[in-house]
């Protein structure tokens, strides 16, 4: 995969948000710091991190909803950061699937109307019958059969899982190259979650679309991005990135180690190590983040240099943002697992 | 011959298309809307009373024509078969007066509602959707209108401008009634704009006209419909008030004018009190019907309640 | 019929049915549910949205949202050998019973705290209402400090904060301290970590486990997350469409997976360990409580469905015999 050119690459992307109610420029919140990220064609990239780490903001920058304050974005090798909205979206190469299927569909329009309008807008020459046929195919693809039965309904008449499928149908209707999915299954019942994840995996394979899967749930992330990459974020920075299997088997950054150890295992016979390797359980606060490593006040391997600067280290399995990798233990965080 | 035939079939097909369009996109939604109104008991009662008023307004004067001729010999008659509400101090039939006034009242309230809803909606959507400087300008104008006490200005205007018909009357009343609606619509649009389904329209690069007319407007429809009814109600209050003070005395059959005349003649006379009561009761019934209608509409159309 | 209570149980739901009479129809949210809560143990109630788990649990403190009502069965509390029939308590007794015997940690800690009251005042208010008016302010504050300290909050800062000044995890810990205020014997936990991050979730559950062990408080945990159950609970009851499908020791349930629904649920949970190949989705949609299928309500989604499943509903679990699952072919598949 490394040989092919990236579909989208972000170079030193920075994002500031205005603090509500303040006029001073210094009080802006630095939400994303120097993000470098390449997304390759047909790849699944998972963005993982706790709330407030900037993963949703990054997702919105990729879809073009936000324009980065600083930094460049390349799409198919072309710099699109200056004219981002127009350039990428006029080809509709990037689409977005939101978390809440109910909020993402217009409550007073039928499913058919919601699906029809975007196709018609971007394919003016298509006749109504052709679009109808296309919608029918889309509905089959996302497993809503028979299509007619769902198309005449309003969003509130569908179940959560069905709404999420409609969102997927809408996202692929313009044949994008990349889909950003922001916690697409977190509001869905457990028994329906898996079939949705399977659907996304299928779409990724069948249509060769790249996916950016944003989530705080590592178990579903591992399931969907089995062969893909994981990007762990902390306070607006990428702290570790690598193949998901490698990162879970051998997490290198102290935060990633704690994160993976905290994930509950669905097996009562499994007993994890008792304490997480963290100094503080409190979440980091992005507004009061100091220079250097953002994680240093929770890090058990902290040294004085960490408050000054921090650099990326390229290891065998992943790229890690940490000064003291030699002090951090390696290998799996789990005790031996007898099953 | 062939040409004419061809031309005829073309015309026919156009007629078919147009009528189909009118049927599908105008008649059916209106019919659905009416069906919705009558499903809810509140709005059904309110709408029924309103329809009765409208029928009286249109057909009442034809059945019971009113003549302004005075007949002093028959002044202050008690109610009888011939004069169901009695006669006033000049011997005119009060019942016929009130019927003649109904049409005028309805005209004023409809005109006011249409004008203020039109202005309020357009400016509200503009301010909410475009935002920035446009928003600031529109909102400061709106706030000025909202902070000026409306009634004294009505009185002033009515004194300066000659009000000679229901339309000019409506124009003066809507001068102030649009502002509240504009503000309310703006707030709705601002909150809708941040919703996920509008954001996805930006991602999918939909046109502004599509977002405003196909995504935002349907969500505002119920809100606008309710406010239409409410501004009708406010228009009646304002117009009767101005008439009652006697500043727009172009039509003696207006309910406000009847009340004013009765008051002028002195409320010591019980007859005058009774005459004053008839339009008052009518106004109360009209207000009640619009109140019921708007509450009922709120219940049936509000998407928040519809989900349940 | 009075059944003498098992001494090990602190609460027994005996054949409880709860219905919501609506305008045109009646919604049966819970049907013939029996469930014991073992003293000093954590019992998990697993189910998807609409399975009735919240309704059943809130009947324990008679906080069922309007217009829901217990229409059958009894909820019995074991007060040192005396049986208290919770569903028959009068208002005044009930107010005393709530929070002093059974308290609750709500799912949305955000909305459970009054935004214009300081954290401290929430505690003091509740203490005053439960007959502690005469206790001096110092003693009250000492008690609050002890509790906040126990849930590892920065006491001095949190006491005088307003709810919006705290993070989600901190608010949830305040709620836990709040639930401990009157030394209850049972705490109901309604999805206490759904909106929280993995590390915060880990921390909260470690804390709850500590409370359970050190104070001996029994807990009823409502959740949809199988992984949390495995990690945290001692006993588990699986709910589906308002019925309890299976109940048992958590190791037993996970090992045997006798009930097809339990099997599906555990099988559909992705893990961070092991192969992803064995994970399999449950087909179909959750049941519509207004239009339940005939026979066993799980039959349209069940892989092992037979003719009898479509005709006859399996017998419900009873408090005397909790080891039999609600399935015609229990232990046979």
């Amino acid at each position: 995969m490394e040989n092919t050119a990236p579909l989208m690459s972000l170079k030193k992307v920075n994002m500031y948000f205005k603090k509500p109610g303040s006029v001073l420029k210094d009080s802006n919140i630095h939400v994303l710091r120097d993000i470098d990220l390449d997304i390759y064609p047909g790849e699944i990239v998972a963005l993982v991190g706790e709330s407030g780490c900037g993963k949703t903001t990054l997702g919105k920058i990729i879809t073009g909803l936000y324009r980065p304050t600083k930094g460049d974005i390349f799409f198919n090798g072309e710099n699109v950061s200056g004219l981002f909205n127009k350039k990428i979206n006029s080809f509709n190469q990037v689409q977005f699937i939101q978390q809440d299927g109910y909020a993402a569909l217009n409550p007073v329009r039928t499913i058919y109307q919601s699906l029809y309008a975007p196709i018609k807008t971007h394919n003016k020459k298509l006749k109504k019958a052709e679009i109808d046929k296309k919608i029918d195919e889309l509905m089959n693809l996302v497993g809503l059969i028979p299509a007619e039965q769902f198309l005449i309904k309003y969003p509130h008449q569908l179940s959560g899982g069905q709404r999420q499928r409609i969102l997927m149908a809408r996202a692929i209707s313009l044949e994008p190259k990349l889909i950003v999915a922001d916690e697409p299954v977190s509001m869905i019942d457990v028994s329906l979650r898996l079939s949705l994840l399977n659907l996304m995996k299928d779409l990724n394979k069948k249509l060769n679309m790249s996916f950016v899967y944003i989530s705080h749930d590592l178990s579903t992330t591992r399931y969907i991005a089995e062969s893909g990459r994981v990007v762990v974020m902390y306070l607006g920075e990428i702290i570790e990135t690598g193949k998901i299997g490698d990162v879970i088997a051998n997490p290198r950054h102290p935060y990633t180690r704690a994160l993976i150890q905290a994930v509950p295992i669905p097996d009562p016979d499994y007993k994890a190590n008792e304490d997480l390797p963290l100094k503080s359980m409190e979440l980091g606060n992005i507004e009061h983040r100091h220079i250097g490593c953002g994680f240093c006040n929770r890090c058990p391997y902290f040294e004085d240099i960490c408050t000054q600067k921090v650099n990326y280290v390229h290891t065998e399995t992943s790229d890690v943002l940490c000064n003291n990798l030699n002090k951090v233990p390696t290998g799996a965080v789990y005790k031996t697992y007898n099953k | 011959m062939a040409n004419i035939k061809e031309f005829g079939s073309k015309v026919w097909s156009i007629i078919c298309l147009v009528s189909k369009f009118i049927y599908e996109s105008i008649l059916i939604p209106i019919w659905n809307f009416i069906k919705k109104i009558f499903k809810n008991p509140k709005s059904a009662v309110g709408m029924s009373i309103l329809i009765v008023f409208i029928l009286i307004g249109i057909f009442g004067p034809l059945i019971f024509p009113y003549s302004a001729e005075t007949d002093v010999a028959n002044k202050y008659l008690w109610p009888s078969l011939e004069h169901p509400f009695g006669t006033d101090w000049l011997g005119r039939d009060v019942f016929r007066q009130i019927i003649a006034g109904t049409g005028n009242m309805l005209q004023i309230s409809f005109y006011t509602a249409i004008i203020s809803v039109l202005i309020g909606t357009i400016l509200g959507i503009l301010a909410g959707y475009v935002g920035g400087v446009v928003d600031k300008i529109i909102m400061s104008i709106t706030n000025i209108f909202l902070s000026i006490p409306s009634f004294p200005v009505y009185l002033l205007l009515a004194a300066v401008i000659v009000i000679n018909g229901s339309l000019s009357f409506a124009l003066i009343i809507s001068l102030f009634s649009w502002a509240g609606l504009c503000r309310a619509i703006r707030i709705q649009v601002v909150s809708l704009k941040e919703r996920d389904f509008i954001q996805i329209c930006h991602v999918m690069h939909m046109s502004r006209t599509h977002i405003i007319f196909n995504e935002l407007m349907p969500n505002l429809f119920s809100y606008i419909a309710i406010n239409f009814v409410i501004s009708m109600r406010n228009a009646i209050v304002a117009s009767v008030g101005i008439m009652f003070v006697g500043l727009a005395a172009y039509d003696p059959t207006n309910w406000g004018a009847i009340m004013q005349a009765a008051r002028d003649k002195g409320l010591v006379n019980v007859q005058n009190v009774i005459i004053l009561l008839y339009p008052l009761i009518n106004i109360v019934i009209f207000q009640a019907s619009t109140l019921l209608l708007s509450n009922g509409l709120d219940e049936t159309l509000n998407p928040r309640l519809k989900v349940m | 019929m009075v059944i003498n209570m098992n001494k090990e149980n602190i609460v027994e739901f005996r054949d409880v049915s709860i219905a919501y009479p609506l305008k045109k129809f009646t919604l049966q949210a819970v049907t013939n549910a029996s469930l014991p809560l073992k003293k000093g143990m954590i019992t998990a109630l697993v189910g998807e949205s609409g399975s009735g788990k919240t309704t059943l649990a809130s009947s324990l403190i008679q906080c069922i949202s309007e217009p829901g009502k217990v229409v059958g069965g009894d909820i019995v509390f074991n007060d040192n050998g005396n049986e208290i029939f919770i569903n028959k308590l009068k208002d005044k007794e009930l107010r005393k019973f709530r929070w002093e015997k059974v308290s609750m940690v709500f799912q949305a800690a955000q909305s459970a705290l009054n935004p214009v009251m300081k954290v401290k005042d929430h505690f003091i208010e509740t203490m005053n209402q439960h007959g502690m008016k005469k206790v001096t302010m110092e003693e009250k504050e000492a008690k609050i400090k002890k509790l906040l300290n126990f849930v590892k909050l920065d006491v001095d800062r949190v006491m005088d904060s307003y709810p919006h000044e705290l993070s989600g995890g901190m608010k949830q810990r305040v709620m836990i301290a709040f639930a401990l205020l009157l030394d209850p014997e049972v705490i109901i936990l309604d999805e206490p970590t759904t909106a929280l991050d993995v590390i915060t979730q880990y921390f909260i559950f470690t804390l709850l486990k500590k409370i359970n062990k050190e104070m001996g408080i029994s807990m009823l945990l409502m959740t949809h997350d199988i992984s949390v159950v495995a990690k945290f609970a001692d006993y588990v009851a699986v709910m589906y469409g308002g019925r309890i499908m299976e109940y048992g020791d958590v190791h037993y349930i996970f090992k045997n997976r006798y009930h097809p629904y339990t099997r599906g649920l555990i099988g559909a949970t992705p893990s961070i360990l092991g192969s992803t190949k064995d994970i399999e989705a449950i087909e179909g949609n959750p049941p519509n409580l207004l239009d339940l299928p005939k026979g066993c309500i799980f039959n349209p989604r069940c892989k092992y469905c037979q003719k009898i499943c479509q005709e006859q509903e399996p017998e419900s679990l009873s408090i005397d015999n909790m080891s039999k699952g609600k399935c015609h072919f229990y232990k046979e598949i």
Side-chain angles (χ1 to χ4, degrees), chain A residues 92-247:
Chain A
N92 283 293
Q93 306 274 26
V94 185
Q95 288 303 331
F96 193 25
I97 296 175
Q98 287 138 321
Q99 178 179 16
D100 181 359
Y102 187 64
L105 291 164
N106 195 332
V108 297
R109 283 163 72 80
T110 61
I111 302 303
Y112 176 76
Q113 287 173 318
S114 286
L115 289 174
Y116 181 86
I119 303 179
K120 181 69 188 169
T121 312
H122 298 288
N123 302 283
K124 291 243 160 53
K125 282 176 199 152
L126 282 186
K127 293 214 177 67
K128 190 172 179 294
E130 289 172 293
I131 296 179
D132 286 353
K133 202 173 147 243
K134 191 168 174 176
I135 290 177
D136 207 58
E137 281 167 17
L138 286 170
M139 295 291 275
N140 283 331
L141 204 58
V142 296
L144 292 174
I145 305 164
E148 304 78 45
Q149 198 195 319
F150 296 101
L151 289 173
I152 52 167
K153 289 194 172 163
Y154 287 92
H156 69 264
Q157 293 167 314
L158 298 180
S159 73
Q162 288 164 344
R163 284 197 287 259
Q164 220 61 32
R165 281 168 195 267
I166 299 287
L167 294 197
M168 286 185 199
R170 181 169 67 181
I172 58 176
S173 68
L174 299 179
E175 291 157 22
K177 295 263 169 59
L178 172 65
I179 290 180
V180 178
D182 186 3
E183 307 247 14
V185 295
S186 68
M187 292 173 88
I188 306 292
D189 272 329
V190 190
S191 71
L192 303 173
R193 248 180 218 185
L194 210 67
S195 52
L196 274 168
L197 293 175
N198 284 337
L199 173 63
M200 286 172 68
K201 277 169 105 167
D202 274 1
L203 293 177
N204 168 255
K205 274 194 204 119
K206 264 190 215 159
L207 309 171
N208 196 33
M209 284 173 190
S210 308
F211 269 84
V212 173
Y213 180 84
I214 303 173
S215 177
H216 68 267
D217 180 357
L218 270 163
S219 307
T220 57
T221 306
R222 170 169 179 261
Y223 184 75
I224 188 170
E226 226 173 328
S227 55
R229 269 189 308 146
V230 66
V231 173
V232 186
M233 293 184 69
Y234 188 80
L235 292 193
E237 267 174 325
I238 295 177
I239 54 157
E240 181 158 5
T241 162
K243 282 238 166 8
I244 190 157
D246 295 341
V247 171

Side-chain angles (χ1 to χ4, degrees), chain C residues 72-218:
Chain C
D74 282 316
I75 304 140
V76 191
F77 183 82
N78 178 357
D79 189 23
N80 296 327
N82 301 322
E83 291 185 359
I84 300 179
F85 286 78
I86 299 169
N87 49 327
K88 288 176 186 145
L89 286 181
K90 298 203 177 69
D91 266 6
K92 208 176 160 191
E93 297 164 323
L94 192 62
R95 234 174 289 149
K96 217 171 133 48
F97 176 82
R98 260 183 223 156
W99 234 259
E100 286 181 31
K101 300 282 180 210
V102 181
S103 62
M104 186 159 178
V105 175
F106 295 93
Q107 176 175 9
Q110 281 76 349
S111 46
L113 292 167
N114 185 344
V116 294
M117 266 165 84
K118 283 180 182 167
V119 167
K120 186 169 73 178
D121 298 337
H122 284 93
F123 285 82
I124 292 172
E125 178 95 340
T126 310
M127 283 166 134
N128 288 345
Q129 278 184 6
H130 284 267
M132 288 207 224
K133 264 201 178 118
K134 284 175 191 152
V135 182
T136 58
M137 203 54 158
E138 282 77 42
E139 277 177 64
K140 279 180 198 164
E141 286 200 357
K143 168 117 190 166
I144 300 167
K145 273 184 186 157
K146 203 182 119 206
L147 286 173
L148 290 179
N149 220 350
F150 192 79
V151 295
K152 294 189 181 158
L153 281 165
D154 178 0
V155 177
D156 299 323
R157 201 196 124 200
V158 171
M159 286 264 278
D160 290 310
S161 305
Y162 288 96
H164 68 91
E165 295 169 324
L166 306 175
S167 73
M170 286 160 92
K171 261 183 261 184
Q172 199 57 282
R173 274 183 277 157
V174 168
M175 287 310 293
I176 292 170
F178 191 52
L180 293 172
L181 182 63
L182 302 175
D183 307 312
E185 291 173 46
V186 179
I187 298 183
I188 307 168
L189 307 163
D190 184 5
E191 306 250 5
T193 61
T194 339
L196 303 175
D197 291 296
V198 188
I199 289 179
T200 320
Q201 173 182 313
Y202 180 96
F203 186 37
I204 298 254
F205 278 122
T206 318
L207 197 66
L208 287 170
K209 195 104 194 178
K210 197 176 143 206
I211 291 168
N212 171 251
K213 287 258 157 65
E214 290 181 9
M215 301 186 174
I217 296 176
S218 319

